[in-house]
Amino acid sequence: MILMICEMCGKQVTFCKKVTIEGVQLEVCSECSKFGAEAKKAPPKELPPKPVIAQRLEVRERRGKPRDIYETSGKEELVEDYSKRIRDARARTGMTQKDLAMKINERVTILSKIEVGQMRPDDKIVSKLQKELGIVLKERVAEISVTKETPKPTSITLADLITMRKE
Ligand SMILES: [Zn+2]
């Protein structure tokens, strides 16, 4: 039989439990293990801010949905290839993303997300882009499209959230 030595009290025991006592991982006897938390359970870490952001975005989306359905009825809607139209039009002007972002008074990160189709520009940005680039980004939609879904942003940074809340 192999005997182990409890790292806390020094007693020789047949079975040692791994526990964390005051942040230190020790192999102790069952008696001493009462003083610590089992090592398997990691100390509770502070939750990263991401789930909170995700929740807020979900709420935003839920709030936005019914209204969007009403607004598509006979109204102008963002064209599906908006990102391509913006990219092409900007390329024609010779402006960089930074140049254009400055002209329309928006963040470069926002513009680049719009240009890759990761983010749908809101009405304010759409009208600024249309004016600045001389392009059409909205089309009249005759019927309500139920299957149409707003694409979720693939990644949201804190900076983006701050920008959104400012708007
Ligand atoms: Zn012990």
Side-chain angles (χ1 to χ4, degrees), residues 19-146:
V19 295
T20 308
I21 295 164
E22 284 168 15
V24 185
Q25 196 171 299
L26 296 170
E27 287 190 17
V28 298
C29 68
S30 57
E31 197 63 28
C32 293
S33 71
K34 288 181 206 159
F35 300 110
E38 273 199 64
K40 268 181 274 173
K41 289 175 200 159
K45 282 177 193 162
E46 257 190 73
L47 284 172
K50 217 176 168 188
V52 178
I53 295 167
Q55 266 175 20
R56 282 188 194 148
L57 287 172
E58 233 174 79
V59 172
R60 254 170 63 106
E61 215 174 21
R62 271 206 300 272
R63 267 207 309 254
K65 250 172 195 166
R67 195 192 57 208
D68 286 348
I69 291 165
Y70 282 116
E71 284 187 355
T72 51
S73 173
K75 282 213 169 187
E76 283 192 326
E77 230 209 358
L78 191 63
V79 293
E80 279 312 303
D81 62 343
Y82 66 91
S83 50
K84 190 182 178 296
R85 291 192 193 190
I86 296 165
R87 273 201 315 272
D88 291 352
R90 183 176 57 77
R92 277 199 300 274
T93 65
M95 277 191 280
T96 63
Q97 281 190 344
K98 200 178 162 191
D99 293 336
L100 180 58
M102 273 171 72
K103 284 222 172 195
I104 62 167
N105 200 27
E106 290 292 341
R107 280 164 182 264
V108 185
T109 51
I110 299 285
L111 182 62
S112 70
K113 277 191 180 167
I114 292 168
E115 284 200 6
V116 294
Q118 260 184 28
M119 187 181 165
R120 293 171 80 87
D122 63 28
D123 287 355
K124 203 176 72 194
I125 299 177
V126 166
S127 55
K128 281 192 284 189
L129 284 169
Q130 289 187 139
K131 205 172 151 193
E132 192 58 44
L133 297 169
I135 52 172
V136 175
L137 292 173
K138 286 201 158 191
E139 269 171 10
R140 204 162 282 279
V141 179
E143 278 185 84
I144 303 167
S145 161
V146 183

